[in-house]
Amino acid sequence: MTWLKDVLGTEKAVIAMCHLMALPGDPYFNSEKGMDYVVEMARKDLKSLQDGGVDAVMFSNEFSLPYLTEVKTETVAAMARIVGELKSDIQIPFGVNVLWDAKKSLDLAAATGALFIREIFTGVYASDFGLWNTNVGETVRHQQRIGAGNVKLLFNIVPEAAKYVADRDIESVAKSTVFNNRPDALCVSGLTAGAQTDSQMLKKVKDSVPNTVVLANTGVRRENLVEQLSIADGAVVGTAFKIDGKFENHVDQARVKAFMDDVKAFRQR
């Protein structure tokens, strides 16, 4: 049994993404509709996800494109307002993800009571956002300083739109990440949001660190969930829950329910 059962209520857990619309300061923020509209769209998506039966939800500034690796204060403030206004509606375990800033994600978790965060904690990458460096030692010390020691850390070890500067195989990355940093989970991703996680890569990671929770982080759909969940301990799902399965759309409750019905059937095998 893993911590997923204790924290999220089940093994083979599905963490659903609640993608927030562009926020103040973002290039695509709709200043005419303002933050009230962003909050209500998040509320609508949250309801569809919860009513569809997901196990947990993670709030992410997914439409703050192009992403920053050092996120501005206004972004965290806006996300704190959104989660704060939705707290009375949240009925399942939740986490947060401030793309792509691990410290700011921890700040938001501490302020809102989130149980987990997902971030890039380790490694140096050549990415679409420039040279991407990390400092996991400083990040986890920050976690302790702000009293967020109980927040689970989900390490994305295959960052989307990025590649390790060093030539390292995924098994070595997984093993050294676990040995040096003791993550609560490793997330394995495809190239972008909605892109299928390579099953062979997923298996290599899980086989390398069998005692660590491993999550399929992108591209899990009804068509491949049996294959993916047969390897991974759970999945993070966003695009598959959207209207027509398109990243830019809002959540379709019927798609969520159909997906979760298949997951529940898989768990009963």
Side-chain angles (χ1 to χ4, degrees):
M1 181 181 297
T2 71
W3 62 262
L4 294 174
K5 175 70 173 177
D6 293 333
V7 177
L8 305 186
T10 183
E11 302 293 347
K12 301 295 181 181
V14 173
I15 300 171
M17 297 303 301
C18 186
H19 290 161
L20 307 179
M21 300 181 70
L23 304 171
D26 292 337
Y28 303 107
F29 175 62
N30 189 328
S31 58
E32 293 184 1
K33 293 185 176 180
M35 273 294 292
D36 287 345
Y37 180 72
V38 176
V39 172
E40 289 313 305
M41 291 302 98
R43 192 187 311 276
K44 178 181 176 182
D45 281 351
L46 172 64
K47 184 177 188 306
S48 294
L49 292 168
Q50 290 187 149
D51 290 352
V54 301
D55 304 308
V57 64
M58 180 156 48
F59 298 94
S60 171
N61 59 323
E62 208 78 16
F63 291 102
S64 292
L65 293 161
Y67 301 129
L68 295 168
T69 54
E70 294 184 9
V71 172
K72 306 299 183 183
T73 302
E74 58 266 26
T75 301
V76 185
M79 294 181 73
R81 174 190 168 181
I82 295 166
V83 177
E85 288 202 33
L86 296 183
K87 276 297 283 287
S88 61
D89 298 303
I90 302 173
Q91 302 168 357
I92 55 178
F94 77 94
V96 294
N97 184 194
V98 183
L99 297 164
W100 283 107
D101 191 322
K103 284 186 179 179
K104 294 296 197 306
S105 294
L106 282 166
D107 292 339
L108 183 59
T112 60
L115 298 177
F116 57 91
I117 68 170
R118 177 192 62 180
E119 261 304 336
I120 310 300
F121 293 97
T122 57
V124 182
Y125 306 90
S127 78
D128 288 351
F129 320 118
L131 188 62
W132 187 348
N133 200 359
T134 61
N135 188 335
V136 63
E138 173 57 28
T139 299
V140 296
R141 284 165 176 79
H142 180 73
Q143 179 185 20
Q144 298 304 314
R145 284 196 297 271
I146 65 173
N150 63 322
V151 175
K152 299 293 186 184
L153 305 184
L154 282 52
F155 283 49
N156 189 345
I157 61 167
V158 188
E160 299 154 37
K163 184 177 181 179
Y164 251 99
V165 171
D167 185 14
R168 301 183 66 199
D169 61 77
I170 193 64
E171 295 97 331
S172 297
V173 172
K175 288 177 181 178
S176 65
T177 299
V178 169
F179 180 85
N180 288 316
N181 307 297
R182 302 185 181 182
D184 295 297
L186 298 182
C187 297
V188 186
S189 307
L191 179 63
T192 62
Q196 181 174 334
T197 302
D198 183 87
S199 295
Q200 291 185 341
M201 181 182 296
L202 193 60
K203 188 174 188 307
K204 287 179 180 179
V205 172
K206 186 60 187 174
D207 288 347
S208 298
V209 288
N211 296 321
T212 299
V213 170
V214 174
L215 303 175
N217 194 47
T218 63
V220 179
R221 303 181 296 275
R222 289 184 71 190
E223 296 81 5
N224 65 23
L225 71 83
V226 170
E227 177 186 5
Q228 299 270 290
L229 289 179
S230 293
I231 303 168
D233 298 293
V236 180
V237 182
T239 302
F241 291 153
K242 304 289 190 77
I243 295 168
D244 297 327
K246 293 184 177 179
F247 170 75
E248 61 271 16
N249 291 342
H250 285 288
V251 175
D252 181 342
Q253 183 179 325
R255 289 178 69 96
V256 179
K257 185 179 184 306
F259 183 102
M260 291 308 301
D261 284 346
D262 288 350
V263 171
K264 290 167 187 174
F266 171 80
R267 290 175 185 153
Q268 294 171 359
R269 289 184 171 191

